[in-house]
């Protein structure tokens, strides 16, 4: 489709009232188009400004920088000397308390060897052992023949201690150990 001829090129003999009316409409539309075109340019600048403000407010850096693949390269990229925050190791022996110390001598020792000190090797373990308590309940007889006996503390009612009952309940409910295995453990 070719461009229409410029309306200024229309001769005055061809300018009828209808043509004049159409030319006026075209001129008004051209003014509106120019006005809207400048408005669109202003709005585009405003949107770009708002986008920049939004990136600053969200603390975004814009488009990410994507580096080329290093799969086919033979050289290793240099690793920075900085460590990641929180990756430093801490000593775990500061809170370690030894309940028992054992000295272990070498099995065979050549003649003339000199003692160089002890090398520490820490081991953590859990000790479960039986602890039976025999309560001697004092018994008194009154003058009228009644017997008065000392009372057990509440936590020792029944024949099993608090720790043993807690261990059995923990094993059964938390660890889902079946009852026959618990009976086997406690005998």
């Amino acid at each position: 489709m070719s461009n229409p001829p410029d309306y200024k090129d229309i001769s005055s003999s061809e300018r009828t009232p209808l043509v004049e009316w159409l030319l006026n409409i075209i001129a008004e539309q051209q003014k509106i188009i120019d006005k809207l075109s400048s408005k669109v340019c202003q709005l585009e600048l405003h949107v770009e400004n708002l986008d920049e403000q939004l990136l600053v407010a969200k603390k975004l850096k814009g488009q990410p920088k994507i580096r080329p693949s290093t799969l086919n390269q033979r050289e290793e990229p240099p690793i920075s000397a900085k460590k990641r925050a929180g990756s430093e190791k801490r000593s775990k022996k500061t809170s370690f308390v030894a309940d028992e110390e054992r000295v272990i001598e070498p099995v065979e020792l050549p003649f003339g060897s000199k003692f160089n000190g002890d090398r520490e090797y820490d081991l953590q373990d859990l000790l479960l052992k039986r602890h039976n308590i025999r309560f001697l309940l004092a018994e008194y007889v009154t003058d009228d023949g009644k017997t008065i006996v000392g009372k057990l503390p509440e936590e020792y009612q029944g024949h099993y201690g608090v720790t043993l009952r807690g261990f059995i309940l923990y094993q059964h409910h938390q660890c889902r150990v079946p009852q026959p295995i618990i009976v086997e453990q406690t005998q």
Side-chain angles (χ1 to χ4, degrees), residues 105-106 109-118:
E105 298 288 337
L109 195 61
F111 180 75
S113 300
K114 296 178 185 175
F115 182 69
N116 194 30
D118 292 321

Side-chain angles (χ1 to χ4, degrees), residues 3-55:
N3 290 334
D6 192 11
Y7 65 90
K8 296 175 186 173
D9 296 337
I10 298 174
S11 65
S12 57
S13 62
E14 294 177 344
R15 290 185 180 224
T16 62
L18 177 63
V19 171
E20 285 291 330
W21 179 74
L22 290 174
L23 288 175
N24 286 337
I25 291 176
I26 292 172
E28 288 176 17
Q29 287 179 346
Q30 189 62 43
K31 288 179 187 175
I32 292 173
I33 288 172
D34 292 339
K35 185 179 175 183
L36 290 176
S37 174
S38 66
K39 184 72 173 177
V40 166
C41 288
Q42 290 174 355
L43 290 175
E44 285 177 347
L45 290 173
H46 186 66
V47 167
E48 287 179 16
N49 187 19
L50 289 176
D51 284 342
E52 290 173 6
Q53 290 176 5
L54 183 63
L55 290 175

Side-chain angles (χ1 to χ4, degrees), residues 170-184:
Y170 175 76
Q171 288 288 315
H172 184 65
H173 293 289
Q174 288 295 116
C175 300
R176 299 177 184 221
V177 177
Q179 290 178 2
I181 294 178
I182 294 175
V183 169
E184 184 180 316

Side-chain angles (χ1 to χ4, degrees), residues 117-134:
D118 292 321
R119 181 181 298 176
E120 291 182 356
Y121 182 86
D122 295 327
L123 181 115
Q124 295 179 355
D125 199 2
L126 178 66
L127 182 63
L128 296 174
K129 64 179 183 177
R130 185 190 71 218
H131 184 73
N132 294 332
I133 302 173
R134 175 172 288 149

